[in-house]
Amino acid sequence: MAFETLLGNDRLKENLTKSLNQGRNSHFYLLSGPTGSGKHTLARLLAAAILCQKDHRPCLSCGPCRKVMENNHPDVITVEDPEHKAVAVKIVRQYREDVYIRPNESERKIYIFPQELNVEGQNALLKILEEPPAYGVFILLTNNPEQVLPTVRSRCTELKLQSLPESLLTTQLSREFPEASQEALTAAAVRSGGYLGQARELLEQGNVLPPQTEQFLRAYGEKNSLELTKVLVSMEKWKRDQLIAMLESWISFLEEALACRSGMRPLHPLTKALSAQRSPQDLMQAITQLQKTVTYARSNVSPAAVCGYLVWQLR
């Protein structure tokens, strides 16, 4: 069963495999689950299964399956709008018209919507969902199914992705991040809520720190004013956006150190050390000062002035 490439969600995969192998597929699927839950992986596997030419779908070895997984099948269309958070209604309408152009080489034509649709976009899509052509299939991804209109949701087959058991998640993470400590793997699994994508992001952020971040965490934890000044002075000529991103990442590390004092597992040894070196009051004060500097930087205060302010406040 090729759906096994999607971790966990055994009942969902069993039911989906059974229905597809019996030739029963919906014209509209709603894939729901938090960020990092596997919606994009499932959408691609589902599209491959619908177009698969073998008995056990998806086989991932026939021509259509390979094309879908390589993202170059002409009858699998991804509807995106990179310039907006939600797909603009004009783009939905454009693809709504495209639906009536028959498939190029398969019996089905599949439209994947990886972005959220606003009310206008959903209403535009609803018009085609009410009377779709026999070959049309729509796969809509959402983090929050409650935001999907009842009239749209009532026409879908909803596939709800579940969180993964900690043991399964940490096993997978250990394969992908062989250099991470068991403590970091477990912390990422717990803090992600059991979702692989979120756990990956946590480990990617924590495994390799920019040198300025490592220097800042060490200097602040050790109360080394000289080293703290050095790292901040080195950032005085940075571009404003670059500085804001760095300061926001420092806020996240300090917040993690504060949470560690309440028993949360740390992702990085420096965070663990910082939680022991600094009091909750120190950490809260530093977080407040960093938040102020982010506000100042966004208000066009120069990077040099922002860094100078932090040197004075955090020394």
Side-chain angles (χ1 to χ4, degrees), residues 256-268:
E256 182 178 315
L258 188 60
C260 284
R261 297 188 65 92
S262 301
M264 188 182 78
R265 294 171 177 175
L267 283 168
H268 197 281

Side-chain angles (χ1 to χ4, degrees), residues 42-56:
L42 178 57
R44 193 59 54 183
L45 289 170
L46 178 56
I50 292 170
L51 301 183
C52 183
Q53 296 178 337
K54 298 293 182 68
D55 292 334
H56 299 286

